[in-house]
mmCIF file of all heavy atoms in Angstrom:
data_model
loop_
_atom_site.group_PDB
_atom_site.id
_atom_site.type_symbol
_atom_site.label_atom_id
_atom_site.label_comp_id
_atom_site.label_asym_id
_atom_site.label_seq_id
_atom_site.Cartn_x
_atom_site.Cartn_y
_atom_site.Cartn_z
ATOM 1 N N LEU A 186 0.535 4.167 1.692
ATOM 2 C CA LEU A 186 0.686 3.334 0.539
ATOM 3 C C LEU A 186 -0.682 2.654 0.310
ATOM 4 O O LEU A 186 -1.151 1.993 1.226
ATOM 5 C CB LEU A 186 1.778 2.346 0.762
ATOM 6 C CG LEU A 186 3.108 2.953 1.024
ATOM 7 C CD1 LEU A 186 4.085 1.838 1.210
ATOM 8 C CD2 LEU A 186 3.532 3.903 -0.074
ATOM 9 N N THR A 187 -1.236 2.840 -0.923
ATOM 10 C CA THR A 187 -2.629 2.403 -1.133
ATOM 11 C C THR A 187 -2.625 1.673 -2.473
ATOM 12 O O THR A 187 -2.151 2.106 -3.517
ATOM 13 C CB THR A 187 -3.599 3.627 -1.292
ATOM 14 O OG1 THR A 187 -3.520 4.341 -0.077
ATOM 15 C CG2 THR A 187 -4.992 3.146 -1.404
ATOM 16 N N ILE A 188 -3.231 0.421 -2.451
ATOM 17 C CA ILE A 188 -3.551 -0.300 -3.719
ATOM 18 C C ILE A 188 -4.967 -0.733 -3.585
ATOM 19 O O ILE A 188 -5.314 -1.726 -2.966
ATOM 20 C CB ILE A 188 -2.614 -1.563 -3.871
ATOM 21 C CG1 ILE A 188 -1.104 -1.128 -3.855
ATOM 22 C CG2 ILE A 188 -2.872 -2.313 -5.207
ATOM 23 C CD1 ILE A 188 -0.134 -2.244 -3.831
ATOM 24 N N PRO A 189 -5.904 0.086 -4.169
ATOM 25 C CA PRO A 189 -7.336 -0.156 -3.905
ATOM 26 C C PRO A 189 -7.861 -1.516 -4.358
ATOM 27 O O PRO A 189 -8.642 -2.125 -3.640
ATOM 28 C CB PRO A 189 -8.000 0.983 -4.776
ATOM 29 C CG PRO A 189 -6.872 2.009 -4.904
ATOM 30 C CD PRO A 189 -5.604 1.303 -4.926
ATOM 31 N N SER A 190 -7.360 -2.062 -5.425
ATOM 32 C CA SER A 190 -7.891 -3.335 -5.992
ATOM 33 C C SER A 190 -7.498 -4.535 -5.122
ATOM 34 O O SER A 190 -8.114 -5.554 -5.184
ATOM 35 C CB SER A 190 -7.524 -3.568 -7.410
ATOM 36 O OG SER A 190 -6.031 -3.517 -7.557
ATOM 37 N N LEU A 191 -6.533 -4.235 -4.216
ATOM 38 C CA LEU A 191 -6.127 -5.349 -3.253
ATOM 39 C C LEU A 191 -6.641 -5.053 -1.821
ATOM 40 O O LEU A 191 -6.320 -5.785 -0.911
ATOM 41 C CB LEU A 191 -4.613 -5.523 -3.250
ATOM 42 C CG LEU A 191 -4.021 -6.074 -4.519
ATOM 43 C CD1 LEU A 191 -2.494 -6.078 -4.448
ATOM 44 C CD2 LEU A 191 -4.528 -7.487 -4.853
ATOM 45 N N GLY A 192 -7.296 -3.882 -1.658
ATOM 46 C CA GLY A 192 -7.765 -3.570 -0.341
ATOM 47 C C GLY A 192 -6.638 -3.140 0.612
ATOM 48 O O GLY A 192 -6.802 -3.360 1.820
ATOM 49 N N LEU A 193 -5.561 -2.670 0.070
ATOM 50 C CA LEU A 193 -4.361 -2.371 0.860
ATOM 51 C C LEU A 193 -4.283 -0.830 1.080
ATOM 52 O O LEU A 193 -4.253 -0.070 0.085
ATOM 53 C CB LEU A 193 -3.147 -2.894 0.186
ATOM 54 C CG LEU A 193 -1.757 -2.588 0.852
ATOM 55 C CD1 LEU A 193 -1.719 -3.428 2.152
ATOM 56 C CD2 LEU A 193 -0.603 -2.971 -0.071
ATOM 57 N N LYS A 194 -4.199 -0.477 2.341
ATOM 58 C CA LYS A 194 -3.893 0.959 2.681
ATOM 59 C C LYS A 194 -3.162 0.912 4.001
ATOM 60 O O LYS A 194 -3.681 0.556 5.006
ATOM 61 C CB LYS A 194 -5.255 1.690 2.810
ATOM 62 C CG LYS A 194 -4.972 3.170 2.952
ATOM 63 C CD LYS A 194 -6.308 3.989 2.820
ATOM 64 C CE LYS A 194 -6.038 5.427 2.766
ATOM 65 N NZ LYS A 194 -7.183 6.224 2.453
ATOM 66 N N THR A 195 -1.902 1.314 3.935
ATOM 67 C CA THR A 195 -1.011 1.206 5.096
ATOM 68 C C THR A 195 -0.084 2.404 5.202
ATOM 69 O O THR A 195 0.412 2.920 4.232
ATOM 70 C CB THR A 195 -0.171 -0.134 5.011
ATOM 71 O OG1 THR A 195 -1.024 -1.173 4.810
ATOM 72 C CG2 THR A 195 0.691 -0.299 6.285
ATOM 73 N N ASP A 196 0.130 2.881 6.389
ATOM 74 C CA ASP A 196 1.028 3.967 6.671
ATOM 75 C C ASP A 196 2.508 3.557 6.693
ATOM 76 O O ASP A 196 2.800 2.435 7.156
ATOM 77 C CB ASP A 196 0.739 4.584 8.038
ATOM 78 C CG ASP A 196 -0.571 5.413 8.073
ATOM 79 O OD1 ASP A 196 -0.932 5.877 7.004
ATOM 80 O OD2 ASP A 196 -1.135 5.485 9.213
ATOM 81 N N ALA A 197 3.318 4.398 6.179
ATOM 82 C CA ALA A 197 4.841 4.222 6.259
ATOM 83 C C ALA A 197 5.278 5.388 7.122
ATOM 84 O O ALA A 197 5.200 6.510 6.665
ATOM 85 C CB ALA A 197 5.399 4.177 4.969
ATOM 86 N N ILE A 198 5.805 5.116 8.270
ATOM 87 C CA ILE A 198 6.192 6.121 9.240
ATOM 88 C C ILE A 198 7.729 6.020 9.542
ATOM 89 O O ILE A 198 8.210 4.879 9.809
ATOM 90 C CB ILE A 198 5.364 5.975 10.571
ATOM 91 C CG1 ILE A 198 3.860 6.095 10.197
ATOM 92 C CG2 ILE A 198 5.815 7.037 11.594
ATOM 93 C CD1 ILE A 198 2.969 5.635 11.361
ATOM 94 N N PRO A 199 8.405 7.133 9.502
ATOM 95 C CA PRO A 199 9.848 6.985 9.915
ATOM 96 C C PRO A 199 10.137 6.394 11.247
ATOM 97 O O PRO A 199 9.364 6.615 12.192
ATOM 98 C CB PRO A 199 10.321 8.526 9.882
ATOM 99 C CG PRO A 199 9.362 9.196 8.984
ATOM 100 C CD PRO A 199 8.021 8.515 9.213
ATOM 101 N N ARG A 200 11.180 5.626 11.281
ATOM 102 C CA ARG A 200 11.570 4.878 12.516
ATOM 103 C C ARG A 200 10.517 3.962 13.118
ATOM 104 O O ARG A 200 10.670 3.530 14.239
ATOM 105 C CB ARG A 200 11.994 5.923 13.593
ATOM 106 C CG ARG A 200 13.269 6.718 13.157
ATOM 107 C CD ARG A 200 13.635 7.781 14.174
ATOM 108 N NE ARG A 200 12.652 8.709 14.495
ATOM 109 C CZ ARG A 200 12.275 9.778 13.772
ATOM 110 N NH1 ARG A 200 12.894 10.002 12.630
ATOM 111 N NH2 ARG A 200 11.344 10.525 14.144
ATOM 112 N N CYS A 201 9.510 3.581 12.379
ATOM 113 C CA CYS A 201 8.595 2.583 12.809
ATOM 114 C C CYS A 201 8.482 1.546 11.636
ATOM 115 O O CYS A 201 8.536 1.831 10.487
ATOM 116 C CB CYS A 201 7.178 3.274 12.931
ATOM 117 S SG CYS A 201 7.127 4.404 14.334
ATOM 118 N N LEU A 202 8.262 0.316 12.117
ATOM 119 C CA LEU A 202 8.075 -0.751 11.179
ATOM 120 C C LEU A 202 6.648 -1.221 11.217
ATOM 121 O O LEU A 202 6.170 -1.699 12.221
ATOM 122 C CB LEU A 202 9.027 -1.941 11.523
ATOM 123 C CG LEU A 202 9.170 -3.065 10.504
ATOM 124 C CD1 LEU A 202 9.725 -2.498 9.216
ATOM 125 C CD2 LEU A 202 10.137 -4.121 11.062
ATOM 126 N N ASN A 203 5.932 -1.037 10.165
ATOM 127 C CA ASN A 203 4.518 -1.472 10.009
ATOM 128 C C ASN A 203 4.432 -2.693 9.173
ATOM 129 O O ASN A 203 5.246 -2.896 8.303
ATOM 130 C CB ASN A 203 3.746 -0.286 9.321
ATOM 131 C CG ASN A 203 2.264 -0.343 9.686
ATOM 132 O OD1 ASN A 203 1.814 -1.250 10.265
ATOM 133 N ND2 ASN A 203 1.582 0.722 9.255
ATOM 134 N N GLN A 204 3.513 -3.518 9.444
ATOM 135 C CA GLN A 204 3.355 -4.829 8.830
ATOM 136 C C GLN A 204 1.931 -5.015 8.311
ATOM 137 O O GLN A 204 0.994 -4.664 8.956
ATOM 138 C CB GLN A 204 3.735 -5.925 9.820
ATOM 139 C CG GLN A 204 3.481 -7.355 9.287
ATOM 140 C CD GLN A 204 3.869 -8.377 10.163
ATOM 141 O OE1 GLN A 204 5.085 -8.516 10.547
ATOM 142 N NE2 GLN A 204 2.910 -9.063 10.805
ATOM 143 N N THR A 205 1.787 -5.628 7.201
ATOM 144 C CA THR A 205 0.483 -5.959 6.598
ATOM 145 C C THR A 205 0.642 -7.195 5.800
ATOM 146 O O THR A 205 1.882 -7.665 5.486
ATOM 147 C CB THR A 205 -0.135 -4.880 5.827
ATOM 148 O OG1 THR A 205 -1.512 -5.160 5.481
ATOM 149 C CG2 THR A 205 0.635 -4.560 4.502
ATOM 150 N N THR A 206 -0.395 -7.875 5.443
ATOM 151 C CA THR A 206 -0.286 -9.022 4.563
ATOM 152 C C THR A 206 -1.232 -8.819 3.374
ATOM 153 O O THR A 206 -2.225 -8.032 3.442
ATOM 154 C CB THR A 206 -0.660 -10.359 5.236
ATOM 155 O OG1 THR A 206 -1.979 -10.262 5.796
ATOM 156 C CG2 THR A 206 0.235 -10.643 6.377
ATOM 157 N N LEU A 207 -0.990 -9.492 2.287
ATOM 158 C CA LEU A 207 -1.862 -9.478 1.121
ATOM 159 C C LEU A 207 -1.720 -10.779 0.358
ATOM 160 O O LEU A 207 -0.750 -11.442 0.424
ATOM 161 C CB LEU A 207 -1.575 -8.274 0.220
ATOM 162 C CG LEU A 207 -0.290 -8.219 -0.590
ATOM 163 C CD1 LEU A 207 -0.470 -8.958 -1.949
ATOM 164 C CD2 LEU A 207 0.019 -6.807 -0.869
ATOM 165 N N THR A 208 -2.828 -11.089 -0.334
ATOM 166 C CA THR A 208 -2.886 -12.287 -1.162
ATOM 167 C C THR A 208 -3.509 -11.860 -2.455
ATOM 168 O O THR A 208 -4.628 -11.319 -2.381
ATOM 169 C CB THR A 208 -3.582 -13.430 -0.482
ATOM 170 O OG1 THR A 208 -2.979 -13.771 0.704
ATOM 171 C CG2 THR A 208 -3.595 -14.713 -1.369
ATOM 172 N N THR A 209 -2.923 -12.064 -3.564
ATOM 173 C CA THR A 209 -3.561 -11.745 -4.845
ATOM 174 C C THR A 209 -4.359 -12.993 -5.310
ATOM 175 O O THR A 209 -3.880 -14.128 -5.224
ATOM 176 C CB THR A 209 -2.560 -11.369 -5.913
ATOM 177 O OG1 THR A 209 -1.606 -12.428 -6.129
ATOM 178 C CG2 THR A 209 -1.890 -10.046 -5.554
ATOM 179 N N GLY A 210 -5.606 -12.792 -5.816
ATOM 180 C CA GLY A 210 -6.388 -13.903 -6.187
ATOM 181 C C GLY A 210 -6.202 -14.389 -7.608
ATOM 182 O O GLY A 210 -6.571 -15.496 -7.984
ATOM 183 N N ARG A 211 -5.539 -13.558 -8.423
ATOM 184 C CA ARG A 211 -5.343 -13.949 -9.870
ATOM 185 C C ARG A 211 -4.139 -13.206 -10.424
ATOM 186 O O ARG A 211 -3.757 -12.133 -9.904
ATOM 187 C CB ARG A 211 -6.589 -13.699 -10.658
ATOM 188 C CG ARG A 211 -6.980 -12.188 -10.723
ATOM 189 C CD ARG A 211 -8.268 -12.055 -11.605
ATOM 190 N NE ARG A 211 -8.539 -10.665 -11.790
ATOM 191 C CZ ARG A 211 -9.306 -9.929 -10.995
ATOM 192 N NH1 ARG A 211 -9.951 -10.515 -9.964
ATOM 193 N NH2 ARG A 211 -9.529 -8.702 -11.215
ATOM 194 N N PRO A 212 -3.548 -13.718 -11.449
ATOM 195 C CA PRO A 212 -2.415 -13.007 -12.036
ATOM 196 C C PRO A 212 -2.847 -11.705 -12.622
ATOM 197 O O PRO A 212 -4.030 -11.495 -13.045
ATOM 198 C CB PRO A 212 -1.958 -13.941 -13.165
ATOM 199 C CG PRO A 212 -2.473 -15.292 -12.819
ATOM 200 C CD PRO A 212 -3.742 -15.077 -12.035
ATOM 201 N N GLY A 213 -2.003 -10.703 -12.676
ATOM 202 C CA GLY A 213 -2.299 -9.417 -13.220
ATOM 203 C C GLY A 213 -1.491 -8.319 -12.654
ATOM 204 O O GLY A 213 -0.563 -8.531 -11.850
ATOM 205 N N LEU A 214 -1.795 -7.106 -13.104
ATOM 206 C CA LEU A 214 -1.050 -5.856 -12.628
ATOM 207 C C LEU A 214 -1.996 -5.151 -11.687
ATOM 208 O O LEU A 214 -3.193 -4.996 -11.923
ATOM 209 C CB LEU A 214 -0.695 -4.939 -13.768
ATOM 210 C CG LEU A 214 0.416 -5.397 -14.704
ATOM 211 C CD1 LEU A 214 0.518 -4.447 -15.900
ATOM 212 C CD2 LEU A 214 1.753 -5.523 -13.926
ATOM 213 N N TYR A 215 -1.415 -4.769 -10.509
ATOM 214 C CA TYR A 215 -2.159 -4.025 -9.527
ATOM 215 C C TYR A 215 -1.529 -2.664 -9.325
ATOM 216 O O TYR A 215 -0.351 -2.607 -9.022
ATOM 217 C CB TYR A 215 -2.219 -4.794 -8.222
ATOM 218 C CG TYR A 215 -2.910 -6.073 -8.402
ATOM 219 C CD1 TYR A 215 -2.182 -7.255 -8.793
ATOM 220 C CD2 TYR A 215 -4.367 -6.261 -8.215
ATOM 221 C CE1 TYR A 215 -2.827 -8.515 -8.974
ATOM 222 C CE2 TYR A 215 -5.008 -7.482 -8.405
ATOM 223 C CZ TYR A 215 -4.254 -8.585 -8.745
ATOM 224 O OH TYR A 215 -4.869 -9.775 -8.933
ATOM 225 N N TYR A 216 -2.232 -1.538 -9.447
ATOM 226 C CA TYR A 216 -1.762 -0.208 -9.393
ATOM 227 C C TYR A 216 -2.135 0.475 -8.131
ATOM 228 O O TYR A 216 -3.294 0.323 -7.712
ATOM 229 C CB TYR A 216 -2.150 0.596 -10.600
ATOM 230 C CG TYR A 216 -1.574 0.162 -11.899
ATOM 231 C CD1 TYR A 216 -2.261 -0.741 -12.692
ATOM 232 C CD2 TYR A 216 -0.434 0.720 -12.381
ATOM 233 C CE1 TYR A 216 -1.735 -1.108 -13.897
ATOM 234 C CE2 TYR A 216 0.172 0.263 -13.576
ATOM 235 C CZ TYR A 216 -0.507 -0.677 -14.335
ATOM 236 O OH TYR A 216 -0.017 -1.042 -15.577
ATOM 237 N N GLY A 217 -1.284 1.314 -7.566
ATOM 238 C CA GLY A 217 -1.588 2.021 -6.420
ATOM 239 C C GLY A 217 -0.594 3.233 -6.374
ATOM 240 O O GLY A 217 0.190 3.439 -7.237
ATOM 241 N N GLN A 218 -0.763 3.985 -5.319
ATOM 242 C CA GLN A 218 0.144 5.146 -5.058
ATOM 243 C C GLN A 218 0.016 5.646 -3.641
ATOM 244 O O GLN A 218 -0.780 5.134 -2.878
ATOM 245 C CB GLN A 218 -0.152 6.239 -6.133
ATOM 246 C CG GLN A 218 -1.441 6.859 -6.047
ATOM 247 C CD GLN A 218 -1.709 7.766 -7.252
ATOM 248 O OE1 GLN A 218 -2.913 7.950 -7.596
ATOM 249 N NE2 GLN A 218 -0.749 8.303 -7.918
ATOM 250 N N CYS A 219 0.913 6.600 -3.283
ATOM 251 C CA CYS A 219 0.781 7.250 -2.031
ATOM 252 C C CYS A 219 -0.444 8.116 -2.007
ATOM 253 O O CYS A 219 -0.570 8.953 -2.877
ATOM 254 C CB CYS A 219 2.027 8.071 -1.782
ATOM 255 S SG CYS A 219 2.085 8.829 -0.173
ATOM 256 N N SER A 220 -1.294 7.941 -1.066
ATOM 257 C CA SER A 220 -2.558 8.679 -1.047
ATOM 258 C C SER A 220 -2.575 9.820 -0.034
ATOM 259 O O SER A 220 -3.487 10.463 0.226
ATOM 260 C CB SER A 220 -3.748 7.781 -0.811
ATOM 261 O OG SER A 220 -3.572 7.081 0.512
ATOM 262 N N GLU A 221 -1.375 10.038 0.528
ATOM 263 C CA GLU A 221 -1.185 11.093 1.516
ATOM 264 C C GLU A 221 -0.409 12.215 0.841
ATOM 265 O O GLU A 221 0.677 11.961 0.336
ATOM 266 C CB GLU A 221 -0.490 10.632 2.720
ATOM 267 C CG GLU A 221 -0.280 11.616 3.888
ATOM 268 C CD GLU A 221 -1.560 11.737 4.737
ATOM 269 O OE1 GLU A 221 -2.347 10.855 4.804
ATOM 270 O OE2 GLU A 221 -1.648 12.828 5.307
ATOM 271 N N ILE A 222 -0.928 13.410 0.819
ATOM 272 C CA ILE A 222 -0.140 14.528 0.318
ATOM 273 C C ILE A 222 0.837 15.052 1.361
ATOM 274 O O ILE A 222 0.509 15.957 2.057
ATOM 275 C CB ILE A 222 -1.044 15.592 -0.245
ATOM 276 C CG1 ILE A 222 -2.004 14.991 -1.380
ATOM 277 C CG2 ILE A 222 -0.162 16.775 -0.865
ATOM 278 C CD1 ILE A 222 -3.044 15.913 -1.902
ATOM 279 N N CYS A 223 1.950 14.399 1.469
ATOM 280 C CA CYS A 223 2.911 14.676 2.589
ATOM 281 C C CYS A 223 3.942 15.688 2.258
ATOM 282 O O CYS A 223 4.670 16.176 3.037
ATOM 283 C CB CYS A 223 3.519 13.391 3.071
ATOM 284 S SG CYS A 223 4.015 12.279 1.772
ATOM 285 N N ARG A 224 4.032 15.986 0.884
ATOM 286 C CA ARG A 224 5.110 16.952 0.396
ATOM 287 C C ARG A 224 4.899 17.079 -1.105
ATOM 288 O O ARG A 224 4.255 16.295 -1.693
ATOM 289 C CB ARG A 224 6.447 16.432 0.815
ATOM 290 C CG ARG A 224 7.623 17.087 0.195
ATOM 291 C CD ARG A 224 8.871 16.626 0.952
ATOM 292 N NE ARG A 224 9.614 15.655 0.077
ATOM 293 C CZ ARG A 224 10.687 15.071 0.431
ATOM 294 N NH1 ARG A 224 11.124 15.137 1.700
ATOM 295 N NH2 ARG A 224 11.358 14.267 -0.354
#
């Protein structure tokens, strides 16, 4: 899972719980997508 404008790139793995934090600096829309071609 990747949101470039927030500097967020984190794996989502079955049966594992991954954690990250983020803080947005200003109101707005932030776009991202799955950057792994997993299927």
